[in-house]
Amino acid sequence: DAGVTQSPTHLIKTRGQHVTLRCSPISGHKSVSWYQQVLGQGPQFIFQYYEKEERGRGNFPDRFSARQFPNYSSELNVNALLLGDSALYLCASSLVRPRVETQYFGPGTRLLVL
Amino acid sequence: EDKVVQSPLSLVVHEGDTVTLNCSYEVTNFRSLLWYKQEKKAPTFLFMLTSSGIEKKSGRLSSILDKKELFSILNITATQTGDSAIYLCASCHNSGGSNYKLTFGKGTLLTVNP
């Protein structure tokens, strides 16, 4: 059974551009969370989606947005990229929303902003 | 502000040594404490701790939680080079309503030399 998948694996953008990252959860999982992990730091919570609705949001600017589709896959969008957005973006899925302890992480998308 | 602090931030040991990694937390509406191992990209789950004083073991790894003093430790005995990784501690806590989120520490970079 496939785990959480993310695409692309790596991405290089320039300041001011826009980026879309994609995540497919484990089959049957309805909750998806997004995290940003800057080099040398632990992952920071960005969003949680459950049943296509935003259920939690971390301390990130409005340039960050996300959505979840009827098949429970998710996209994270970042507008007006800044150098500081360079990071590993992790997606995690869990079966039901409250059980974030049992979420499984994908391999991440490494974004470099030049 | 919810906070998870890990120490040390990095550690270099020789194979066969025993290591203790520390994690303290200050969060509202705490539910559980989790440990992850991150080697290249996706963090992989090690332990979930919800009750004080009950040790969880998996092979050479063990962990315990103290909810009164708000900390946890992760012990690794007879370390091997394959234990080299970043070890992340995360607090699962309520973020409003019935929503929960993970707040991570910065991680401890463990290097085990042969």
Side-chain angles (χ1 to χ4, degrees):
Chain A
D1 213 5
V4 178
T5 58
Q6 292 186 244
S7 63
T9 55
H10 295 82
L11 201 50
I12 299 175
K13 291 284 189 178
T14 55
R15 276 179 299 176
Q17 284 189 309
H18 160 270
V19 70
T20 297
L21 310 181
R22 295 177 175 84
C23 171
S24 291
I26 291 171
S27 177
H29 284 195
K30 297 182 178 180
S31 178
V32 169
S33 297
W34 286 95
Y35 296 84
Q36 179 197 62
Q37 187 175 20
V38 172
L39 198 61
Q41 305 285 323
Q44 274 207 298
F45 172 72
I46 310 176
F47 286 110
Q48 184 188 52
Y49 274 77
Y50 178 71
E51 292 284 13
K52 302 179 286 293
E53 287 188 21
E54 182 183 306
R55 303 292 184 155
R57 184 181 182 121
N59 193 19
F60 279 81
D62 290 345
R63 299 185 296 109
F64 288 75
S65 63
R67 54 181 176 166
Q68 187 177 33
F69 298 99
N71 66 354
Y72 304 110
S73 67
S74 178
E75 280 182 357
L76 175 70
N77 295 285
V78 187
N79 292 323
L81 285 167
L82 303 174
L83 296 180
D85 295 331
S86 296
L88 178 67
Y89 287 85
L90 294 163
C91 170
S93 76
S94 58
L95 196 55
V96 290
R97 176 169 46 95
R99 304 310 307 178
V100 290
E101 294 99 322
T102 54
Q103 61 186 350
Y104 295 84
F105 284 88
T109 292
R110 192 164 294 282
L111 171 66
L112 178 61
V113 182
L114 300 175
Chain B
E1 186 188 334
D2 300 315
K3 197 166 55 171
V4 174
V5 178
Q6 292 187 245
S7 65
L9 292 181
S10 67
L11 191 55
V12 180
V13 300
H14 291 290
E15 266 192 317
D17 287 351
T18 293
V19 297
T20 298
L21 310 183
N22 304 295
C23 174
S24 64
Y25 61 93
E26 274 183 55
V27 300
T28 52
N29 298 311
F30 172 85
R31 183 160 83 178
S32 59
L33 193 289
L34 298 101
W35 284 96
Y36 292 88
K37 179 181 182 182
Q38 187 176 28
E39 291 179 86
K40 290 187 179 172
K41 287 193 174 179
T44 53
F45 172 82
L46 293 175
F47 295 111
M48 180 175 78
L49 304 154
T50 54
S51 301
S52 270
I54 298 175
E55 185 183 55
K56 292 220 171 176
K57 273 183 82 74
S58 176
R60 297 176 294 102
L61 276 66
S62 64
S63 184
I64 198 160
L65 174 67
D66 185 329
K67 289 168 77 172
K68 185 180 173 189
E69 300 297 329
L70 307 183
F71 79 87
S72 174
I73 59 171
L74 175 69
N75 280 316
I76 309 175
T77 59
T79 51
Q80 303 171 355
T81 55
D83 295 328
S84 296
I86 296 171
Y87 289 84
L88 294 165
C89 167
S91 160
C92 178
H93 53 104
N94 187 271
S95 59
S98 57
N99 299 307
Y100 289 82
K101 69 171 190 177
L102 298 183
T103 296
F104 283 86
K106 289 186 178 181
T108 293
L109 174 61
L110 174 65
T111 303
V112 181
N113 290 324

